[in-house]
Amino acid sequence: MAVAAAVAAPMLAGCSTGYEQGVLNIYAPADGFDYIKQFAQTCTEESGGRYKLQANVLPKSADDQRLQLARRLAGNDHTLDLMGMDVVWTAEFANAGWLVPVPDDTAAEIEKTNLGGPVATAMWQRPDDAAKRMYAMPIWTNTQLLWYRPDLMKDTLGSRRAPATWDEMLSDTQAIKKAGGPSWIMVQAKQYEGLMVWFNSLLASAGGSVLDPNDASKVTLSDTPEHRAATLKALEVMKAVATAPGHDPSITQSDEGTARLGMETGKAAFEINWPFVWASARTNGATGDVAFLQDVLSPYKTLLTDEDNPPTDAQLAPINAKMRKHFDFALYPGVFPGKTAKSTPGGLNVAVASTSRQPELAFEAAKCMTSEKAQKVYAISGGTPPTIASIYDDKDFKLAYPMGDVIRTQLESEHSAPRPASPQYQAISTLVTATLAPVGAWDPAQMVDKLTEQVQKAIDGEGIIP
């Protein structure tokens, strides 16, 4: 934080320190901003004149978002009332004294109505807290699924069933390859946050964790034989995927976009990715850019590509059903047969800034912005999965999200693996991904100790500027 403050010093002149009573400012990321702005106006109208909520856009890059917020907070900008925060920032911002804790009654209601995975990303225990408490309010979430080609599996393996584990997926891929089919498994493995997400999901699925969930100063990658075995297994899976016969030759540079393209161009039978790939495959399949979907979707080309008059979710429902016979989704694969797989959630939380001179009013606005009504807009219009459990049973939501039940399952506590909660998370992620890259070019047994050493360095603040 001292570094952030130092960097901020020359910039503080650009941050206003005044405020206007009744006017609240929310700063939100560029992705999804239009819907934040839209619902800010709704909240303003429904407040009965108690407040006016103004939406301000943050940069597209998460690092740039974090830096801009840090500058305003370090500069004590009283016009900053609410902020949309990446789910991994809670501990850092709370420890810096930049977040107002969510009132107990509001926190209790959120825990009652929201899915456990997103809620966990909003919790933290500062040194002066008696226990973990809520420092932010979930507004939307996300989770990665397994995407696969059931028609290809039926033709080559005699079954449409999705693999339940990574080892099973590797075996299926080799069988498909032997039959002359595609052999790539698409993941996110270049040196960036996507690699941290992949490692964290595998590690949690194997029964391990980067840090002790009850003691963020304790590294648990190799502190017990059981934890070492879990870390080793996660690394063995990563190496196996990165070095399998016929693997993606550019896997060390792969991200969400290249994973999507690998599947759409027919080079892969399996893909780990976020739900956005569904709409992409549907549209690109209609235009003929996804060969294995062309025959299914070409009759709907006009409907699916009319930007001025896009199809309704009801119109898309029968198309989705046909599409699933050729491109489908399943739960995130596990590491061990019979052991619950865990996936790393993404998403956004909303927090009240400690710089706000109107915190009670800000929490009133935050409750409106994270309400069921608001989250339904973000989900159906904006494509961001909700954190409120009841929305998953809503008929409009079900039409928009054919994969909604799988998403909900993976966001429940027993299936969700939030990234390690720590004020040093940025340093942890930077060092972990730098150590793991290039994926597969290392011995898993030796990598266990290397990762342990690097995470300890991050916790101790050695050699890294996040």
Side-chain angles (χ1 to χ4, degrees), residues 9 38 64 114 128-129 213 383 409 438 452:
Q38 172 188 329
D64 290 340
N114 285 246
D128 56 340
D129 290 330
T409 295
T452 300

Side-chain angles (χ1 to χ4, degrees), residues 112-124:
K112 180 181 178 181
T113 59
N114 285 246
L115 293 162
V119 168
T121 69
M123 306 294 288
W124 179 245

Side-chain angles (χ1 to χ4, degrees), residues 163-172 233 236-237 240 333-337:
T165 68
W166 285 88
D167 288 344
E168 189 178 335
M169 179 162 48
L170 284 160
S171 176
D172 286 351
K233 179 60 179 177
E236 287 174 343
V237 170
V335 168
F336 296 112

Side-chain angles (χ1 to χ4, degrees), residues 294-313:
Q294 185 173 358
D295 290 344
V296 178
L297 297 177
S298 59
Y300 307 101
K301 179 178 179 179
T302 301
L303 176 66
L304 294 174
T305 58
D306 187 349
E307 295 182 1
D308 296 327
N309 187 31
T312 66
D313 290 327

Side-chain angles (χ1 to χ4, degrees), residues 247-263:
H247 68 271
D248 173 8
S250 59
I251 191 170
T252 58
Q253 296 302 313
S254 62
D255 57 20
E256 290 86 353
T258 60
R260 176 187 63 81
L261 287 172
M263 177 63 82

